[in-house]
């Protein structure tokens, strides 16, 4: 009830009478009044004027299920939301939900992660109440070799979603991070469960440093947050909603060709490594090359010192600048 009332008040952006809410949801005046009080307790400011009704005048920065549902403008992404105040990892939870049959588009969001993960077992610092930790569950009908490109589709969507909500110059660091200047703001981790020729599910986890004013010591030197860069507090739910909307569009575009051919131009435009000398850190070898941009498979094309062009596959390597994390 609370979620439905919140959604109506949000969408109207003006007064909605108690009578109308009662009729629309077939509930008593007391039930409406109770739901409004619960919203106030959560930090929403709701104006109540006799003969006019209720109007939301401000919302808190929370990412509860009700808050997210009232903000979403998607067809399938986030139509089922699981919110946790604390969790081990949203990716782990999404995988469990997938095993239990949760549908394509299920979204897991948490206010804090105890064991947030990066690639290859690295830690994703996930303090409480400030950042976004979310995982989108997909059930693609294509072969497993195509799934790694979804990390890049999400990176592009996060870029577009943030562009819409925050005034900040962000770039993508291939394949899965967003950076501001030389510092990391967003990390993306894609994991999947597959059989030889089909995908059971894919989970795409995204961590965004949003209102975090003090970074943990471990990442102080190479990370930043939206508030540190802009000086402005952001509404996390608005950011999540914008990202999901873009992801839905980009995913549909991806499905037209099953590759990035229609998305690669935009990705390359905002790729910080493009036309830069980079170090490719592989498991077996490390070398310096000149990054040209991604191809339609999401591989990074680099020109090696001997002039040959190589397509680097994201799963195997990390990319660094010559002197630091980015440049
Ligand atoms: P690489 O550039 O080597 O490929 P990556 O950028 O893909 O690495 P991930 O595995 O995605 O890295 O993320 C984990 C790394 O990100 C950690 O090792 C740490 O350096 C950094 N990190 C951890 N938590 C945060 C955070 N909240 N914000 C920014 N960076 C973080």
């Amino acid at each position: 009830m609370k979620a439905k009332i919140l959604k109506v008040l949000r969408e109207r952006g003006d007064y909605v009478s108690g009578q109308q809410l009662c009729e629309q949801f077939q509930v008593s005046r007391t039930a409406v009044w109770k739901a409004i009080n619960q919203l106030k307790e959560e930090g929403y400011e709701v104006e109540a004027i006799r003969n006019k009704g209720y109007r939301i005048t401000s919302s808190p920065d929370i990412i509860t299920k009700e808050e997210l549902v009232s903000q979403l403008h998607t067809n399938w992404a986030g139509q089922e939301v699981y919110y946790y105040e604390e969790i081990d990892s949203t990716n782990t939870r999404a995988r469990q939900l997938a095993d239990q049959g949760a549908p394509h588009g299920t979204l897991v969001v948490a206010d804090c992660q105890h064991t947030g993960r990066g690639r290859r077992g690295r830690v994703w610092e996930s303090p409480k109440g400030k950042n976004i930790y979310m995982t989108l569950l997909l059930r693609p009908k294509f072969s497993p070799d195509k799934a790694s490109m979804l990390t890049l589709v999400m990176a592009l969507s996060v870029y577009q979603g943030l562009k819409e909500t925050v005034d900040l110059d962000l770039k993508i660091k291939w394949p899965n991070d967003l950076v501001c200047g030389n510092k990391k703001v967003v990390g993306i981790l894609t994991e999947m469960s597959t059989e030889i020729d089909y995908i059971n599910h894919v989970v795409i986890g995204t961590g965004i440093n949003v209102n975090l004013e003090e970074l943990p010591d471990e990442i102080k030197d190479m990370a930043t947050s939206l508030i540190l860069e802009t000086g402005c507090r952001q509404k996390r739910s608005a950011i999540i909603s914008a990202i999901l909307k873009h992801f839905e569009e980009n995913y549909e575009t991806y499905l037209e060709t099953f590759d990035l051919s229609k998305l690669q131009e935009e990705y390359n435009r905002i790729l910080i490594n493009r036309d830069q000398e980079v170090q490719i850190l592989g498991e077996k070898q490390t070398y310096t090359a000149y990054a040209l941009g991604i191809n339609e498979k999401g591989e990074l094309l680099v020109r090696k010192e001997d002039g040959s062009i190589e397509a680097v596959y994201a799963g195997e390597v990390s990319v660094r600048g010559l002197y630091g994390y980015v440049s």
Side-chain angles (χ1 to χ4, degrees), residues 117-120 122-127 131 133 173-177 184-189 207-209 212 215-216 218-219 222-224 281 317-320 325:
R117 285 179 278 120
R119 296 199 299 164
R120 282 169 269 162
R122 287 180 289 224
V123 170
W124 186 260
E125 301 290 336
S126 309
N131 291 341
Y133 316 111
K173 174 179 165 292
W174 182 85
N176 65 329
D177 298 320
K184 182 151 143 182
V185 185
V186 177
I188 296 168
L189 176 68
I208 309 177
N209 299 331
L212 190 66
L215 296 163
E218 291 76 7
I219 55 167
M222 41 77 67
T224 188
L281 315 181
V317 300
S318 293
V319 169
R320 293 277 179 278
Y325 181 60

Side-chain angles (χ1 to χ4, degrees), residues 7-8 99 106 133 155 240 246:
K7 195 166 175 74
V8 170
D99 289 338
T106 297
Y133 316 111
I240 294 172
H246 285 287

Side-chain angles (χ1 to χ4, degrees), residues 138 140-153 199 247-263 296-298:
L138 303 176
K141 300 223 163 43
F142 44 78
S143 59
D145 59 308
K146 306 239 178 321
S148 69
M149 286 179 255
L150 295 175
T151 300
L152 285 80
V153 176
I199 297 173
F247 184 84
E248 215 174 73
E249 285 164 15
N250 291 329
Y251 187 73
E252 305 294 336
T253 304
Y254 170 81
L255 290 183
E256 288 170 20
T257 55
F258 295 104
D259 65 20
L260 301 176
S261 46
K262 294 190 175 167
L263 300 170
E296 74 288 349
K297 288 193 241 162

